[in-house]
Amino acid sequence: MVAGITISIAITFATFITPKAKQAWIVSWVFSGFSIASVFGVPTGTWLSSKVGWRLTFWIIAILSTLVLVAFQLALPHDLKQKKVEHFTDQFKILTDKRILLGIFVPVLSLGSVYIIYTAILLVILWVLTHHTQS
């Protein structure tokens, strides 16, 4: 599943099925769930692929994802309605809200800086490895 789409759908349904007083709490758990999944899922997937190979690991993830999709289809409400939009460009009005822009730019800039550091570390590691192998 694509994380961006999945987060959007999860937050939409979470706020739809949760009482107003608990909506902020449930949205925080949606984001926490993705962080927890990354912390435990990536090492688990790496370990599993080292034991059974990447192809079987891929199929296990595909089957589990399909089962989760079916569970979502059965468990989530089917009467979720969207508001009518006059024109497609009306959806971009949300970008005039400074809180939304802050909510977009803070993660983009922080994740971008993390990946810049990962790239720099990788370059240092590659430089060390290539210079040690030549000696």
Side-chain angles (χ1 to χ4, degrees):
M1 292 185 189
V2 178
I5 295 169
T6 306
I7 289 174
S8 299
I9 293 170
I11 290 173
T12 300
F13 277 106
T15 56
F16 183 75
I17 63 177
T18 307
K20 192 81 167 159
K22 296 269 188 176
Q23 286 181 352
W25 179 81
I26 199 73
V27 167
S28 70
W29 269 105
V30 168
F31 281 105
S32 298
F34 280 94
S35 298
I36 293 167
S38 294
V39 168
F40 292 107
V42 172
T44 303
T46 303
W47 172 80
L48 186 62
S49 68
S50 70
K51 298 295 180 193
V52 299
W54 72 267
R55 287 180 179 87
L56 182 58
T57 303
F58 176 84
W59 282 108
I60 290 170
I61 292 170
I63 291 167
L64 288 174
S65 296
T66 303
L67 292 174
V68 168
L69 181 66
V70 170
F72 282 167
Q73 184 66 27
L74 295 173
L76 292 175
H78 295 227
D79 58 344
L80 185 64
K81 302 284 186 221
Q82 285 185 304
K83 294 178 184 175
K84 291 281 185 190
V85 177
E86 292 293 324
H87 194 268
F88 174 75
T89 56
D90 290 344
Q91 298 179 33
F92 295 108
K93 287 180 184 174
I94 195 168
L95 297 176
T96 60
D97 188 340
K98 290 179 183 178
R99 297 170 298 173
I100 299 296
L101 292 175
L102 185 64
I104 291 170
F105 287 125
V106 167
V108 166
L109 295 175
S110 64
L111 287 171
S113 63
V114 166
Y115 288 118
I116 288 171
I117 291 172
Y118 285 164
T119 304
I121 291 171
L122 177 64
L123 292 174
V124 169
I125 291 171
L126 289 174
W127 183 83
V128 168
L129 290 175
T130 57
H131 282 73
H132 282 293
T133 57
Q134 292 176 355
S135 303

